[in-house]
mmCIF file with all atom_site columns, all heavy atoms in Angstrom:
data_model
loop_
_atom_site.group_PDB
_atom_site.id
_atom_site.type_symbol
_atom_site.label_atom_id
_atom_site.label_alt_id
_atom_site.label_comp_id
_atom_site.label_asym_id
_atom_site.label_entity_id
_atom_site.label_seq_id
_atom_site.pdbx_PDB_ins_code
_atom_site.Cartn_x
_atom_site.Cartn_y
_atom_site.Cartn_z
_atom_site.occupancy
_atom_site.B_iso_or_equiv
_atom_site.pdbx_formal_charge
_atom_site.auth_seq_id
_atom_site.auth_comp_id
_atom_site.auth_asym_id
_atom_site.auth_atom_id
_atom_site.pdbx_PDB_model_num
ATOM 1   N N   . LYS D 1 189 ? 115.778 19.119 44.563 1.00 0.00 ? 189 LYS D N   1
ATOM 2   C CA  . LYS D 1 189 ? 114.957 20.325 44.659 1.00 0.00 ? 189 LYS D CA  1
ATOM 3   C C   . LYS D 1 189 ? 113.498 20.034 45.004 1.00 0.00 ? 189 LYS D C   1
ATOM 4   O O   . LYS D 1 189 ? 112.666 20.935 44.942 1.00 0.00 ? 189 LYS D O   1
ATOM 5   C CB  . LYS D 1 189 ? 115.022 21.110 43.342 1.00 0.00 ? 189 LYS D CB  1
ATOM 6   C CG  . LYS D 1 189 ? 116.377 21.748 43.073 1.00 0.00 ? 189 LYS D CG  1
ATOM 7   C CD  . LYS D 1 189 ? 116.316 22.636 41.849 1.00 0.00 ? 189 LYS D CD  1
ATOM 8   C CE  . LYS D 1 189 ? 117.660 23.321 41.616 1.00 0.00 ? 189 LYS D CE  1
ATOM 9   N NZ  . LYS D 1 189 ? 117.616 24.233 40.468 1.00 0.00 ? 189 LYS D NZ  1
ATOM 10  N N   . ALA D 1 190 ? 113.169 18.800 45.342 1.00 0.00 ? 190 ALA D N   1
ATOM 11  C CA  . ALA D 1 190 ? 111.764 18.468 45.605 1.00 0.00 ? 190 ALA D CA  1
ATOM 12  C C   . ALA D 1 190 ? 111.311 18.999 46.960 1.00 0.00 ? 190 ALA D C   1
ATOM 13  O O   . ALA D 1 190 ? 112.064 18.990 47.931 1.00 0.00 ? 190 ALA D O   1
ATOM 14  C CB  . ALA D 1 190 ? 111.574 16.954 45.552 1.00 0.00 ? 190 ALA D CB  1
ATOM 15  N N   . ARG D 1 191 ? 110.062 19.455 47.011 1.00 0.00 ? 191 ARG D N   1
ATOM 16  C CA  . ARG D 1 191 ? 109.450 19.876 48.278 1.00 0.00 ? 191 ARG D CA  1
ATOM 17  C C   . ARG D 1 191 ? 107.940 19.776 48.150 1.00 0.00 ? 191 ARG D C   1
ATOM 18  O O   . ARG D 1 191 ? 107.388 19.916 47.050 1.00 0.00 ? 191 ARG D O   1
ATOM 19  C CB  . ARG D 1 191 ? 109.862 21.304 48.662 1.00 0.00 ? 191 ARG D CB  1
ATOM 20  C CG  . ARG D 1 191 ? 109.335 22.368 47.719 1.00 0.00 ? 191 ARG D CG  1
ATOM 21  C CD  . ARG D 1 191 ? 109.815 23.764 48.087 1.00 0.00 ? 191 ARG D CD  1
ATOM 22  N NE  . ARG D 1 191 ? 109.316 24.737 47.111 1.00 0.00 ? 191 ARG D NE  1
ATOM 23  C CZ  . ARG D 1 191 ? 108.171 25.417 47.242 1.00 0.00 ? 191 ARG D CZ  1
ATOM 24  N NH1 . ARG D 1 191 ? 107.433 25.252 48.332 1.00 0.00 ? 191 ARG D NH1 1
ATOM 25  N NH2 . ARG D 1 191 ? 107.779 26.259 46.304 1.00 0.00 ? 191 ARG D NH2 1
ATOM 26  N N   . PRO D 1 192 ? 107.230 19.529 49.251 1.00 0.00 ? 192 PRO D N   1
ATOM 27  C CA  . PRO D 1 192 ? 105.766 19.549 49.215 1.00 0.00 ? 192 PRO D CA  1
ATOM 28  C C   . PRO D 1 192 ? 105.285 20.981 48.980 1.00 0.00 ? 192 PRO D C   1
ATOM 29  O O   . PRO D 1 192 ? 105.752 21.912 49.654 1.00 0.00 ? 192 PRO D O   1
ATOM 30  C CB  . PRO D 1 192 ? 105.354 19.051 50.601 1.00 0.00 ? 192 PRO D CB  1
ATOM 31  C CG  . PRO D 1 192 ? 106.591 18.440 51.193 1.00 0.00 ? 192 PRO D CG  1
ATOM 32  C CD  . PRO D 1 192 ? 107.743 19.155 50.584 1.00 0.00 ? 192 PRO D CD  1
ATOM 33  N N   . VAL D 1 193 ? 104.353 21.157 48.035 1.00 0.00 ? 193 VAL D N   1
ATOM 34  C CA  . VAL D 1 193 ? 103.875 22.505 47.726 1.00 0.00 ? 193 VAL D CA  1
ATOM 35  C C   . VAL D 1 193 ? 102.373 22.678 47.970 1.00 0.00 ? 193 VAL D C   1
ATOM 36  O O   . VAL D 1 193 ? 101.896 23.810 48.070 1.00 0.00 ? 193 VAL D O   1
ATOM 37  C CB  . VAL D 1 193 ? 104.211 22.902 46.270 1.00 0.00 ? 193 VAL D CB  1
ATOM 38  C CG1 . VAL D 1 193 ? 105.721 23.009 46.083 1.00 0.00 ? 193 VAL D CG1 1
ATOM 39  C CG2 . VAL D 1 193 ? 103.628 21.916 45.256 1.00 0.00 ? 193 VAL D CG2 1
ATOM 40  N N   . ALA D 1 194 ? 101.626 21.572 48.052 1.00 0.00 ? 194 ALA D N   1
ATOM 41  C CA  . ALA D 1 194 ? 100.185 21.675 48.314 1.00 0.00 ? 194 ALA D CA  1
ATOM 42  C C   . ALA D 1 194 ? 99.688  20.334 48.844 1.00 0.00 ? 194 ALA D C   1
ATOM 43  O O   . ALA D 1 194 ? 100.318 19.297 48.644 1.00 0.00 ? 194 ALA D O   1
ATOM 44  C CB  . ALA D 1 194 ? 99.419  22.063 47.045 1.00 0.00 ? 194 ALA D CB  1
ATOM 45  N N   . GLY D 1 195 ? 98.534  20.374 49.521 1.00 0.00 ? 195 GLY D N   1
ATOM 46  C CA  . GLY D 1 195 ? 97.981  19.149 50.086 1.00 0.00 ? 195 GLY D CA  1
ATOM 47  C C   . GLY D 1 195 ? 98.589  18.839 51.444 1.00 0.00 ? 195 GLY D C   1
ATOM 48  O O   . GLY D 1 195 ? 98.932  19.742 52.210 1.00 0.00 ? 195 GLY D O   1
ATOM 49  N N   . ASP D 1 196 ? 98.758  17.552 51.732 1.00 0.00 ? 196 ASP D N   1
ATOM 50  C CA  . ASP D 1 196 ? 99.273  17.109 53.023 1.00 0.00 ? 196 ASP D CA  1
ATOM 51  C C   . ASP D 1 196 ? 100.802 17.132 53.002 1.00 0.00 ? 196 ASP D C   1
ATOM 52  O O   . ASP D 1 196 ? 101.441 16.196 52.536 1.00 0.00 ? 196 ASP D O   1
ATOM 53  C CB  . ASP D 1 196 ? 98.765  15.697 53.330 1.00 0.00 ? 196 ASP D CB  1
ATOM 54  C CG  . ASP D 1 196 ? 99.004  15.297 54.777 1.00 0.00 ? 196 ASP D CG  1
ATOM 55  O OD1 . ASP D 1 196 ? 100.171 15.344 55.220 1.00 0.00 ? 196 ASP D OD1 1
ATOM 56  O OD2 . ASP D 1 196 ? 98.032  14.941 55.465 1.00 0.00 ? 196 ASP D OD2 1
ATOM 57  N N   . HIS D 1 197 ? 101.384 18.215 53.517 1.00 0.00 ? 197 HIS D N   1
ATOM 58  C CA  . HIS D 1 197 ? 102.839 18.376 53.478 1.00 0.00 ? 197 HIS D CA  1
ATOM 59  C C   . HIS D 1 197 ? 103.555 17.272 54.257 1.00 0.00 ? 197 HIS D C   1
ATOM 60  O O   . HIS D 1 197 ? 104.672 16.890 53.898 1.00 0.00 ? 197 HIS D O   1
ATOM 61  C CB  . HIS D 1 197 ? 103.227 19.752 54.031 1.00 0.00 ? 197 HIS D CB  1
ATOM 62  C CG  . HIS D 1 197 ? 102.930 20.873 53.090 1.00 0.00 ? 197 HIS D CG  1
ATOM 63  N ND1 . HIS D 1 197 ? 103.849 21.839 52.754 1.00 0.00 ? 197 HIS D ND1 1
ATOM 64  C CD2 . HIS D 1 197 ? 101.810 21.183 52.391 1.00 0.00 ? 197 HIS D CD2 1
ATOM 65  C CE1 . HIS D 1 197 ? 103.313 22.699 51.908 1.00 0.00 ? 197 HIS D CE1 1
ATOM 66  N NE2 . HIS D 1 197 ? 102.075 22.322 51.682 1.00 0.00 ? 197 HIS D NE2 1
ATOM 67  N N   . GLN D 1 198 ? 102.927 16.774 55.306 1.00 0.00 ? 198 GLN D N   1
ATOM 68  C CA  . GLN D 1 198 ? 103.557 15.723 56.110 1.00 0.00 ? 198 GLN D CA  1
ATOM 69  C C   . GLN D 1 198 ? 103.753 14.453 55.277 1.00 0.00 ? 198 GLN D C   1
ATOM 70  O O   . GLN D 1 198 ? 104.790 13.791 55.370 1.00 0.00 ? 198 GLN D O   1
ATOM 71  C CB  . GLN D 1 198 ? 102.720 15.414 57.345 1.00 0.00 ? 198 GLN D CB  1
ATOM 72  C CG  . GLN D 1 198 ? 103.374 14.388 58.274 1.00 0.00 ? 198 GLN D CG  1
ATOM 73  C CD  . GLN D 1 198 ? 102.553 14.128 59.513 1.00 0.00 ? 198 GLN D CD  1
ATOM 74  O OE1 . GLN D 1 198 ? 101.623 14.864 59.829 1.00 0.00 ? 198 GLN D OE1 1
ATOM 75  N NE2 . GLN D 1 198 ? 102.885 13.070 60.225 1.00 0.00 ? 198 GLN D NE2 1
ATOM 76  N N   . LEU D 1 199 ? 102.765 14.110 54.437 1.00 0.00 ? 199 LEU D N   1
ATOM 77  C CA  . LEU D 1 199 ? 102.893 12.940 53.567 1.00 0.00 ? 199 LEU D CA  1
ATOM 78  C C   . LEU D 1 199 ? 104.059 13.129 52.593 1.00 0.00 ? 199 LEU D C   1
ATOM 79  O O   . LEU D 1 199 ? 104.863 12.211 52.379 1.00 0.00 ? 199 LEU D O   1
ATOM 80  C CB  . LEU D 1 199 ? 101.592 12.710 52.789 1.00 0.00 ? 199 LEU D CB  1
ATOM 81  C CG  . LEU D 1 199 ? 101.609 11.567 51.775 1.00 0.00 ? 199 LEU D CG  1
ATOM 82  C CD1 . LEU D 1 199 ? 101.841 10.227 52.463 1.00 0.00 ? 199 LEU D CD1 1
ATOM 83  C CD2 . LEU D 1 199 ? 100.301 11.552 50.975 1.00 0.00 ? 199 LEU D CD2 1
ATOM 84  N N   . GLY D 1 200 ? 104.168 14.324 52.032 1.00 0.00 ? 200 GLY D N   1
ATOM 85  C CA  . GLY D 1 200 ? 105.286 14.596 51.130 1.00 0.00 ? 200 GLY D CA  1
ATOM 86  C C   . GLY D 1 200 ? 106.624 14.490 51.827 1.00 0.00 ? 200 GLY D C   1
ATOM 87  O O   . GLY D 1 200 ? 107.598 13.966 51.266 1.00 0.00 ? 200 GLY D O   1
ATOM 88  N N   . GLN D 1 201 ? 106.683 14.974 53.075 1.00 0.00 ? 201 GLN D N   1
ATOM 89  C CA  . GLN D 1 201 ? 107.939 14.918 53.820 1.00 0.00 ? 201 GLN D CA  1
ATOM 90  C C   . GLN D 1 201 ? 108.299 13.485 54.179 1.00 0.00 ? 201 GLN D C   1
ATOM 91  O O   . GLN D 1 201 ? 109.484 13.128 54.225 1.00 0.00 ? 201 GLN D O   1
ATOM 92  C CB  . GLN D 1 201 ? 107.840 15.781 55.077 1.00 0.00 ? 201 GLN D CB  1
ATOM 93  C CG  . GLN D 1 201 ? 109.186 16.170 55.658 1.00 0.00 ? 201 GLN D CG  1
ATOM 94  C CD  . GLN D 1 201 ? 110.063 16.907 54.661 1.00 0.00 ? 201 GLN D CD  1
ATOM 95  O OE1 . GLN D 1 201 ? 109.655 17.903 54.056 1.00 0.00 ? 201 GLN D OE1 1
ATOM 96  N NE2 . GLN D 1 201 ? 111.283 16.404 54.456 1.00 0.00 ? 201 GLN D NE2 1
ATOM 97  N N   . GLU D 1 202 ? 107.277 12.647 54.412 1.00 0.00 ? 202 GLU D N   1
ATOM 98  C CA  . GLU D 1 202 ? 107.543 11.228 54.683 1.00 0.00 ? 202 GLU D CA  1
ATOM 99  C C   . GLU D 1 202 ? 108.239 10.578 53.493 1.00 0.00 ? 202 GLU D C   1
ATOM 100 O O   . GLU D 1 202 ? 109.192 9.803  53.662 1.00 0.00 ? 202 GLU D O   1
ATOM 101 C CB  . GLU D 1 202 ? 106.230 10.499 54.987 1.00 0.00 ? 202 GLU D CB  1
ATOM 102 C CG  . GLU D 1 202 ? 105.652 10.811 56.360 1.00 0.00 ? 202 GLU D CG  1
ATOM 103 C CD  . GLU D 1 202 ? 104.276 10.193 56.553 1.00 0.00 ? 202 GLU D CD  1
ATOM 104 O OE1 . GLU D 1 202 ? 103.933 9.238  55.816 1.00 0.00 ? 202 GLU D OE1 1
ATOM 105 O OE2 . GLU D 1 202 ? 103.527 10.663 57.437 1.00 0.00 ? 202 GLU D OE2 1
ATOM 106 N N   . LEU D 1 203 ? 107.770 10.875 52.280 1.00 0.00 ? 203 LEU D N   1
ATOM 107 C CA  . LEU D 1 203 ? 108.426 10.345 51.082 1.00 0.00 ? 203 LEU D CA  1
ATOM 108 C C   . LEU D 1 203 ? 109.864 10.830 50.997 1.00 0.00 ? 203 LEU D C   1
ATOM 109 O O   . LEU D 1 203 ? 110.789 10.040 50.794 1.00 0.00 ? 203 LEU D O   1
ATOM 110 C CB  . LEU D 1 203 ? 107.663 10.752 49.820 1.00 0.00 ? 203 LEU D CB  1
ATOM 111 C CG  . LEU D 1 203 ? 108.356 10.359 48.506 1.00 0.00 ? 203 LEU D CG  1
ATOM 112 C CD1 . LEU D 1 203 ? 108.215 8.871  48.239 1.00 0.00 ? 203 LEU D CD1 1
ATOM 113 C CD2 . LEU D 1 203 ? 107.810 11.159 47.328 1.00 0.00 ? 203 LEU D CD2 1
ATOM 114 N N   . LEU D 1 204 ? 110.073 12.130 51.167 1.00 0.00 ? 204 LEU D N   1
ATOM 115 C CA  . LEU D 1 204 ? 111.421 12.688 51.026 1.00 0.00 ? 204 LEU D CA  1
ATOM 116 C C   . LEU D 1 204 ? 112.354 12.142 52.104 1.00 0.00 ? 204 LEU D C   1
ATOM 117 O O   . LEU D 1 204 ? 113.537 11.865 51.825 1.00 0.00 ? 204 LEU D O   1
ATOM 118 C CB  . LEU D 1 204 ? 111.358 14.222 51.100 1.00 0.00 ? 204 LEU D CB  1
ATOM 119 C CG  . LEU D 1 204 ? 110.580 14.904 49.968 1.00 0.00 ? 204 LEU D CG  1
ATOM 120 C CD1 . LEU D 1 204 ? 110.590 16.416 50.155 1.00 0.00 ? 204 LEU D CD1 1
ATOM 121 C CD2 . LEU D 1 204 ? 111.153 14.546 48.601 1.00 0.00 ? 204 LEU D CD2 1
ATOM 122 N N   . ASN D 1 205 ? 111.851 11.966 53.315 1.00 0.00 ? 205 ASN D N   1
ATOM 123 C CA  . ASN D 1 205 ? 112.691 11.411 54.387 1.00 0.00 ? 205 ASN D CA  1
ATOM 124 C C   . ASN D 1 205 ? 113.131 9.984  54.063 1.00 0.00 ? 205 ASN D C   1
ATOM 125 O O   . ASN D 1 205 ? 114.283 9.602  54.314 1.00 0.00 ? 205 ASN D O   1
ATOM 126 C CB  . ASN D 1 205 ? 111.932 11.431 55.718 1.00 0.00 ? 205 ASN D CB  1
ATOM 127 C CG  . ASN D 1 205 ? 111.738 12.835 56.258 1.00 0.00 ? 205 ASN D CG  1
ATOM 128 O OD1 . ASN D 1 205 ? 112.392 13.779 55.815 1.00 0.00 ? 205 ASN D OD1 1
ATOM 129 N ND2 . ASN D 1 205 ? 110.831 12.985 57.204 1.00 0.00 ? 205 ASN D ND2 1
ATOM 130 N N   . GLN D 1 206 ? 112.201 9.189  53.519 1.00 0.00 ? 206 GLN D N   1
ATOM 131 C CA  . GLN D 1 206 ? 112.540 7.806  53.195 1.00 0.00 ? 206 GLN D CA  1
ATOM 132 C C   . GLN D 1 206 ? 113.453 7.715  51.972 1.00 0.00 ? 206 GLN D C   1
ATOM 133 O O   . GLN D 1 206 ? 114.230 6.773  51.848 1.00 0.00 ? 206 GLN D O   1
ATOM 134 C CB  . GLN D 1 206 ? 111.258 6.996  52.973 1.00 0.00 ? 206 GLN D CB  1
ATOM 135 C CG  . GLN D 1 206 ? 110.449 6.815  54.257 1.00 0.00 ? 206 GLN D CG  1
ATOM 136 C CD  . GLN D 1 206 ? 109.313 5.836  54.092 1.00 0.00 ? 206 GLN D CD  1
ATOM 137 O OE1 . GLN D 1 206 ? 109.530 4.653  53.826 1.00 0.00 ? 206 GLN D OE1 1
ATOM 138 N NE2 . GLN D 1 206 ? 108.084 6.308  54.246 1.00 0.00 ? 206 GLN D NE2 1
ATOM 139 N N   . LEU D 1 207 ? 113.355 8.704  51.082 1.00 0.00 ? 207 LEU D N   1
ATOM 140 C CA  . LEU D 1 207 ? 114.216 8.706  49.893 1.00 0.00 ? 207 LEU D CA  1
ATOM 141 C C   . LEU D 1 207 ? 115.584 9.323  50.155 1.00 0.00 ? 207 LEU D C   1
ATOM 142 O O   . LEU D 1 207 ? 116.491 9.186  49.324 1.00 0.00 ? 207 LEU D O   1
ATOM 143 C CB  . LEU D 1 207 ? 113.544 9.480  48.750 1.00 0.00 ? 207 LEU D CB  1
ATOM 144 C CG  . LEU D 1 207 ? 112.347 8.830  48.052 1.00 0.00 ? 207 LEU D CG  1
ATOM 145 C CD1 . LEU D 1 207 ? 111.853 9.734  46.939 1.00 0.00 ? 207 LEU D CD1 1
ATOM 146 C CD2 . LEU D 1 207 ? 112.712 7.458  47.507 1.00 0.00 ? 207 LEU D CD2 1
ATOM 147 N N   . CYS D 1 208 ? 115.752 9.985  51.294 1.00 0.00 ? 208 CYS D N   1
ATOM 148 C CA  . CYS D 1 208 ? 116.991 10.727 51.560 1.00 0.00 ? 208 CYS D CA  1
ATOM 149 C C   . CYS D 1 208 ? 118.251 9.875  51.383 1.00 0.00 ? 208 CYS D C   1
ATOM 150 O O   . CYS D 1 208 ? 119.206 10.320 50.724 1.00 0.00 ? 208 CYS D O   1
ATOM 151 C CB  . CYS D 1 208 ? 116.923 11.337 52.956 1.00 0.00 ? 208 CYS D CB  1
ATOM 152 S SG  . CYS D 1 208 ? 118.143 12.638 53.215 1.00 0.00 ? 208 CYS D SG  1
ATOM 153 N N   . PRO D 1 209 ? 118.330 8.639  51.919 1.00 0.00 ? 209 PRO D N   1
ATOM 154 C CA  . PRO D 1 209 ? 119.549 7.839  51.714 1.00 0.00 ? 209 PRO D CA  1
ATOM 155 C C   . PRO D 1 209 ? 119.793 7.495  50.249 1.00 0.00 ? 209 PRO D C   1
ATOM 156 O O   . PRO D 1 209 ? 120.940 7.287  49.840 1.00 0.00 ? 209 PRO D O   1
ATOM 157 C CB  . PRO D 1 209 ? 119.280 6.566  52.540 1.00 0.00 ? 209 PRO D CB  1
ATOM 158 C CG  . PRO D 1 209 ? 118.210 6.943  53.507 1.00 0.00 ? 209 PRO D CG  1
ATOM 159 C CD  . PRO D 1 209 ? 117.363 7.959  52.804 1.00 0.00 ? 209 PRO D CD  1
ATOM 160 N N   . TRP D 1 210 ? 118.703 7.406  49.465 1.00 0.00 ? 210 TRP D N   1
ATOM 161 C CA  . TRP D 1 210 ? 118.846 7.124  48.035 1.00 0.00 ? 210 TRP D CA  1
ATOM 162 C C   . TRP D 1 210 ? 119.314 8.363  47.269 1.00 0.00 ? 210 TRP D C   1
ATOM 163 O O   . TRP D 1 210 ? 120.175 8.286  46.397 1.00 0.00 ? 210 TRP D O   1
ATOM 164 C CB  . TRP D 1 210 ? 117.513 6.627  47.482 1.00 0.00 ? 210 TRP D CB  1
ATOM 165 C CG  . TRP D 1 210 ? 117.482 6.492  45.982 1.00 0.00 ? 210 TRP D CG  1
ATOM 166 C CD1 . TRP D 1 210 ? 118.118 5.551  45.234 1.00 0.00 ? 210 TRP D CD1 1
ATOM 167 C CD2 . TRP D 1 210 ? 116.772 7.330  45.065 1.00 0.00 ? 210 TRP D CD2 1
ATOM 168 N NE1 . TRP D 1 210 ? 117.843 5.758  43.888 1.00 0.00 ? 210 TRP D NE1 1
ATOM 169 C CE2 . TRP D 1 210 ? 117.013 6.846  43.769 1.00 0.00 ? 210 TRP D CE2 1
ATOM 170 C CE3 . TRP D 1 210 ? 115.942 8.449  45.212 1.00 0.00 ? 210 TRP D CE3 1
ATOM 171 C CZ2 . TRP D 1 210 ? 116.475 7.425  42.624 1.00 0.00 ? 210 TRP D CZ2 1
ATOM 172 C CZ3 . TRP D 1 210 ? 115.403 9.024  44.076 1.00 0.00 ? 210 TRP D CZ3 1
ATOM 173 C CH2 . TRP D 1 210 ? 115.662 8.522  42.808 1.00 0.00 ? 210 TRP D CH2 1
ATOM 174 N N   . ILE D 1 211 ? 118.755 9.524  47.613 1.00 0.00 ? 211 ILE D N   1
ATOM 175 C CA  . ILE D 1 211 ? 119.143 10.763 46.921 1.00 0.00 ? 211 ILE D CA  1
ATOM 176 C C   . ILE D 1 211 ? 120.587 11.132 47.242 1.00 0.00 ? 211 ILE D C   1
ATOM 177 O O   . ILE D 1 211 ? 121.386 11.435 46.348 1.00 0.00 ? 211 ILE D O   1
ATOM 178 C CB  . ILE D 1 211 ? 118.202 11.924 47.333 1.00 0.00 ? 211 ILE D CB  1
ATOM 179 C CG1 . ILE D 1 211 ? 116.747 11.599 46.976 1.00 0.00 ? 211 ILE D CG1 1
ATOM 180 C CG2 . ILE D 1 211 ? 118.631 13.225 46.656 1.00 0.00 ? 211 ILE D CG2 1
ATOM 181 C CD1 . ILE D 1 211 ? 115.749 12.550 47.621 1.00 0.00 ? 211 ILE D CD1 1
#
Side-chain angles (χ1 to χ4, degrees):
K189 291 187 178 182
R191 66 183 178 92
V193 294
D196 193 304
H197 286 230
Q198 184 178 347
L199 176 63
Q201 200 57 53
E202 286 173 20
L203 174 75
L204 296 180
N205 290 345
Q206 292 189 63
L207 288 181
C208 197
W210 172 72
I211 300 167

